[in-house]
Amino acid sequence: MCGIVGYIGNKDSKEILLRGLEKLEYRGYDSAGIAVADEQGIHVFKEKGRIAELRGIVDESVIAPIGIGHTRWATHGAPSQVNAHPHQSTKGRFTIVHNGVIENYAILKRDYLQGVEFKSDTDTEVIVQLIEKIVNEGLAVEAAFRKAISLLHGSYAIALLDEQDKNTIYVAKNKSPLLVGLGTDFNVVASDAMAMLQVTDQYVELMDKEVVIVTKEDVTIKKLDGQVVERAPYTAELDASDIEKGTYPHYMLKEIDEQPLVMRKIIQAYQNEQNELAIHKDVLEAMNEADRIYIIACGTSYHAGLVGKQFIEKWAKIPVEVHVASEFSYNMPLLSKKPLFIFISQSGETADSRAVLVQVKELGYKALTITNVPGSTLSREADYTLLLHAGPEIAVASTKAYTAQLAVLAILAAVTAEAKGIGLEFDLVPELAIVANAMEILCDDKEEMENIAREFLATTRNCFFIGRSLDFYVGLEGALKLKEISYIQAEGFAGGELKHGTMALIENNTPVIALATQGHVNLSIRGNVKEVVARGASPCIISMKGLETEEDRYVLPEVHETLAPLVSVIPLQLISYYAALHRDCDVDKPRNLAKSVTVE
Ligand code: M6R
């Protein structure tokens, strides 16, 4: 979703900003822009489309040591050059970039900005006009900035330039992520550390409703009442090579291939000195005390939660409910007496999940976040965090984070069971090692996955995924993967549910991808396949060794049955990847989508 960068120092800012924006491309955007200030004034360059197009219109002759930049994912107003950020106040004194949604922008317009002519359809323009108005009324810029910010309702990460002071970037944040990066003789602003890793690995976290005055020598954090806040920087432990594609044509393929390695990293990260799986005692205590667990997540992370529920219920014997975050806030179920909330989020920044976290913390409940990003908002604001150790995931389609989520949930369930004295009839460490090997075999079989994609998905307009028990949940994830990157209408169903309505959509040659990895439902899912074949469907059965029959299109290496989702999802990821390639889709940056969904 939208991304912000800013630079103030001695170098020309244009290239630093553009490169920073390129690092934020993965979040998803539809237009981009930069504003840089030199002796002559502030120069704004913005364009609909990709950063490459923006590069084409930037005036190379402008050399400016201060600037801000933005990638926009439209919320208020269509994707267009006019709605792209930066936006300027009427007199052109102030220039702003903003992420988030200003919920009361219409009220602010009515109450404070009557008669002001707006150039764009964005909520953002209200902020910059408001600041100019308050300054015109006589307040100094910093005070006017704080006053304007205090009038905003909603989410925002903001960077502002003042044409009359080319030594300062004004920054503010509420609910949307924003960091300030520190350098020698320069400082930067970025939505995430990856964007500015090119110049620094030292960052200062910002809290909600803080403003920051950034000059090239200083960073001053203040509360909205002007009180100064001291905060030490931290080192962003990101390896720049982790965020490069290397020899891969797409991040998605690289990230699919990284899954065996991620499995092995997770096993190591969660082992103690005796090589036993271990989880921090506070987390175990919270798990033990809970009479019911509520898993809250969105998209792929929600699908991981559905599988995680099975791990926790089967092994640790704690009842679990899994909820889509965007529904939970508005439709909260009756809670148990001692609930524990588990938030699953690759990015740790998803606004829908964060809204629930804020709500349950207000109610006084404990929360655990399972995330890939240390220091992310969901991690900071929860009581406990378990990290995924998957390394940065750049492709919009989540792959390695999903299997990492499953592995961490499995470890959490198994260690909790152990702590409760519930004996499991298997040892999870060797079982996860077998999973890692199976993943490797599947990743090496790309040619076959490409064949399947060509055979079943080259020209189809829709596709169904069916499964029973755990396979149903993996089917949901397979369908999400396929639709988000190939734009094929794809849906996942419980095998037994198709005949209750959706079967009407089965026509001659409709592809139906069926998963058969669970012994106790093997015969039933095969019966469901027969039902769709009788109506003309083209079945593609993916089974697990030991359960296979001659009709199966692909047989997965055998792993522990409950861990099958970690393995059966890999062909689905690869098939989606090749289907998207065949259809000439932008695999890493699917249309209309964002990596980090930071608005509710
Ligand atoms: O960062 P999160 O895990 O909270 O993101 C949740 C969803 O937006 C995300 O999983 C989305 O569904 C993926 N793009 C799917 O591949």
Side-chain angles (χ1 to χ4, degrees):
M1 210 145 258
C2 308
I4 285 181
V5 289
Y7 171 88
I8 180 162
N10 295 323
K11 293 190 178 160
D12 178 30
S13 59
K14 294 193 309 289
E15 188 53 30
I16 298 172
L17 296 173
L18 289 168
R19 267 200 261 149
L21 291 181
E22 279 162 355
K23 296 286 179 228
L24 295 177
E25 281 192 292
Y26 77 96
R27 298 160 72 99
Y29 70 107
D30 45 56
S31 51
I34 60 170
V36 293
D38 65 5
E39 305 277 278
Q40 273 69 54
I42 294 183
H43 309 264
V44 174
F45 308 100
K46 55 184 188 176
E47 198 50 277
K48 186 177 168 201
R50 299 292 188 209
I51 312 283
E53 274 130 290
L54 172 63
R55 276 186 178 281
I57 60 155
V58 170
D59 181 349
E60 281 306 319
S61 66
V62 174
I63 304 297
I66 172 171
I68 53 180
H70 191 264
T71 47
R72 173 174 190 253
W73 188 85
T75 56
H76 293 61
S80 67
Q81 198 268 350
V82 170
N83 289 334
H85 299 213
H87 290 284
Q88 292 193 294
S89 55
T90 302
K91 294 228 162 71
R93 174 166 176 188
F94 296 101
T95 304
I96 198 169
V97 291
H98 158 235
N99 294 349
V101 173
I102 304 305
E103 287 157 10
N104 61 337
Y105 80 100
I107 298 169
L108 292 172
K109 231 175 177 177
R110 186 198 64 199
D111 291 355
Y112 297 91
L113 298 167
Q114 297 232 356
V116 173
E117 204 178 308
F118 283 79
K119 292 177 229 104
S120 74
D121 305 320
T122 64
D123 50 341
T124 302
E125 199 182 336
V126 167
I127 314 171
V128 74
Q129 299 287 16
L130 195 57
I131 293 167
E132 185 167 89
K133 169 143 197 283
I134 300 172
V135 169
N136 287 345
E137 285 167 358
L139 267 194
V141 175
E142 187 201 311
F145 183 63
R146 281 191 277 111
K147 177 160 183 203
I149 296 297
S150 68
L151 294 172
L152 306 180
H153 292 175
S155 55
Y156 51 81
I158 288 170
L160 178 90
L161 295 181
D162 173 6
E163 200 189 15
Q164 293 180 19
D165 169 12
K166 308 221 181 71
N167 297 313
T168 310
I169 302 178
Y170 296 90
V171 167
K173 165 198 147 49
N174 188 45
K175 296 189 193 169
S176 297
L178 198 61
L179 300 168
V180 173
L182 310 181
T184 311
D185 291 336
F186 72 88
N187 288 306
V188 295
V189 180
S191 294
D192 81 44
M194 254 194 266
M196 284 295 169
L197 210 55
Q198 42 160 332
V199 289
T200 182
D201 63 356
Q202 295 301 302
Y203 288 87
V204 182
E205 271 177 28
L206 305 181
M207 301 299 159
D208 284 352
K209 303 211 167 137
E210 286 180 343
V211 299
V212 195
I213 319 303
V214 184
T215 65
K216 69 177 176 178
E217 295 91 8
D218 280 315
V219 166
T220 310
I221 306 175
K222 292 188 179 177
K223 294 193 173 166
L224 286 182
D225 61 7
Q227 195 191 324
V228 174
V229 177
E230 297 296 337
R231 188 163 305 128
Y234 70 93
T235 305
E237 287 177 9
L238 277 171
D239 183 344
S241 66
D242 281 353
I243 55 174
E244 301 300 336
K245 273 205 296 259
T247 54
Y248 281 90
H250 297 101
Y251 280 109
M252 184 179 177
L253 195 62
K254 173 176 180 258
E255 289 159 7
I256 290 174
D257 267 359
E258 282 170 354
Q259 292 177 101
L261 181 71
V262 171
M263 277 307 110
R264 294 177 184 125
K265 272 197 191 157
I266 291 172
I267 300 172
Q268 263 184 0
Y270 284 97
Q271 270 180 324
N272 61 18
E273 281 164 8
Q274 289 73 47
N275 291 338
E276 292 155 348
L277 288 174
I279 297 272
H280 195 285
K281 65 171 183 24
D282 294 349
V283 177
L284 285 183
E285 215 172 279
M287 290 288 284
N288 259 322
E289 278 172 8
D291 62 357
R292 185 169 285 260
I293 288 170
Y294 295 82
I295 294 183
I296 311 290
C298 311
T300 289
S301 298
Y302 169 72
H303 295 156
L306 293 172
V307 177
K309 167 184 163 79
Q310 306 301 315
F311 296 158
I312 297 171
E313 290 193 338
K314 245 185 180 166
W315 300 340
K317 312 284 181 216
I318 308 171
V320 181
E321 286 180 28
V322 190
H323 292 270
V324 167
S326 54
E327 278 298 301
F328 190 90
S329 296
Y330 307 102
N331 201 6
M332 199 185 277
L334 268 183
L335 298 178
S336 65
K337 286 208 173 78
K338 293 183 196 159
L340 171 66
F341 285 83
I342 299 185
F343 291 83
I344 308 178
S345 172
Q346 186 285 131
S347 61
E349 299 294 350
T350 301
D352 288 322
S353 299
R354 204 246 172 166
V356 181
L357 176 58
V358 169
Q359 213 175 353
V360 302
K361 290 310 295 169
E362 273 167 16
L363 292 171
Y365 298 126
K366 293 266 189 242
L368 158 68
T369 290
I370 298 181
T371 183
N372 202 22
V373 185
S376 56
T377 306
L378 287 174
S379 166
R380 281 201 319 266
E381 296 182 356
D383 301 273
Y384 326 101
T385 296
L386 294 178
L387 290 176
L388 296 177
H389 301 284
E393 191 180 66
I394 310 287
V396 166
S398 185
T399 53
K400 62 176 178 173
Y402 171 77
T403 44
Q405 287 164 345
L406 297 191
V408 171
L409 284 161
I411 292 171
L412 176 65
V415 177
T416 304
E418 176 100 346
K420 290 178 112 185
I422 303 169
L424 298 181
E425 86 293 5
F426 62 91
D427 187 352
L428 189 58
V429 171
E431 295 298 344
L432 284 176
I434 294 172
V435 163
N437 293 342
M439 286 175 158
E440 217 154 63
I441 294 169
L442 294 169
C443 289
D444 286 346
D445 209 6
K446 293 196 181 66
E447 217 179 297
E448 191 52 8
M449 307 301 167
E450 195 172 358
N451 289 339
I452 297 177
R454 199 176 309 115
E455 200 178 312
F456 290 90
L457 304 171
T459 55
T460 189
R461 66 186 172 86
N462 60 2
C463 174
F464 295 97
F465 289 74
I466 59 170
R468 283 175 171 250
S469 177
L470 284 169
D471 289 336
F472 165 39
Y473 304 135
V474 181
L476 293 176
E477 175 56 12
L480 177 61
K481 231 41 350 145
L482 184 64
K483 66 184 132 187
E484 76 174 323
I485 60 168
S486 75
Y487 317 144
I488 295 170
Q489 167 88 47
E491 302 303 335
F493 282 95
E497 190 60 19
L498 269 190
K499 57 183 172 295
H500 297 290
T502 310
M503 189 102 85
L505 296 176
I506 302 289
E507 295 171 345
N508 261 352
N509 300 324
T510 303
V512 175
I513 300 180
L515 293 172
T517 73
Q518 303 294 304
H520 65 300
V521 288
N522 193 26
L523 290 180
S524 339
I525 191 67
R526 287 173 188 284
N528 300 138
V529 171
K530 292 220 158 50
E531 290 162 5
V532 292
V533 169
R535 273 112 193 139
S538 282
C540 170
I541 304 178
I542 299 178
S543 64
M544 181 151 291
K545 198 154 192 313
L547 296 176
E548 75 271 31
T549 69
E550 277 189 354
E551 60 192 350
D552 299 353
R553 183 66 174 80
Y554 197 85
V555 181
L556 303 162
E558 193 175 358
V559 299
H560 188 287
E561 198 175 76
T562 311
L563 299 176
L566 285 121
V567 168
S568 56
V569 76
I570 310 266
L572 306 189
Q573 296 169 344
L574 282 165
I575 292 168
S576 302
Y577 172 78
Y578 288 113
L581 268 196
H582 284 301
R583 289 171 172 248
D584 235 1
C585 299
D586 189 344
V587 173
D588 284 338
K589 294 182 227 105
R591 70 182 177 208
N592 305 339
L593 297 181
K595 180 70 179 164
S596 231
V597 186
T598 49
V599 292
E600 278 175 55

